[in-house]
């Protein structure tokens, strides 16, 4: 598994540990800001949808750091 691919993030965004979520959130921001990854993201829309669904749950989190 690519340690910084959509498959990786799909698994990692499901973590409940706040510290891990903070780390994964930063990794995801860096991943998505990399123009070289655009084609990978565009070709795996189903996995991207799953990541977005999990991130939606983060927005509803009771921890303000995770929400941000």
């Amino acid at each position: 598994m690519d340690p910084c691919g959509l498959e990786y993030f799909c698994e990692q965004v499901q973590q409940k540990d706040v510290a891990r979520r903070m780390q994964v959130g930063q990794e995801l921001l860096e991943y998505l800001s990399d123009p070289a990854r655009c084609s990978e993201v565009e070709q795996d829309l189903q996995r991207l949808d799953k990541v977005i669904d999990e991130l939606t749950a983060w927005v509803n989190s009771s921890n303000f750091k995770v929400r941000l």
Side-chain angles (χ1 to χ4, degrees):
M1 177 183 331
D2 180 5
C4 283
L6 275 180
E7 184 177 347
Y8 167 80
F9 288 112
C10 192
E11 181 181 305
Q12 294 302 308
V13 295
Q14 297 177 37
Q15 301 293 321
K16 300 299 180 198
D17 178 55
V18 172
R20 183 67 188 134
R21 282 183 171 188
M22 298 294 292
Q23 181 181 357
V24 169
Q26 186 59 43
E27 291 173 4
L28 183 59
L29 288 173
E30 291 171 11
Y31 173 80
L32 293 174
S33 66
D34 182 359
R37 300 287 189 166
C38 288
S39 63
E40 179 183 342
V41 172
E42 289 174 353
Q43 293 191 8
D44 200 354
L45 294 178
Q46 183 178 8
R47 194 165 278 136
L48 179 61
D49 286 344
K50 189 171 182 178
V51 170
I52 291 171
D53 288 342
E54 289 295 328
L55 291 176
T56 303
W58 286 21
V59 172
N60 296 322
S61 172
S62 62
N63 187 302
F64 76 95
K65 289 182 181 179
V66 173
R67 282 190 301 224
L68 293 176

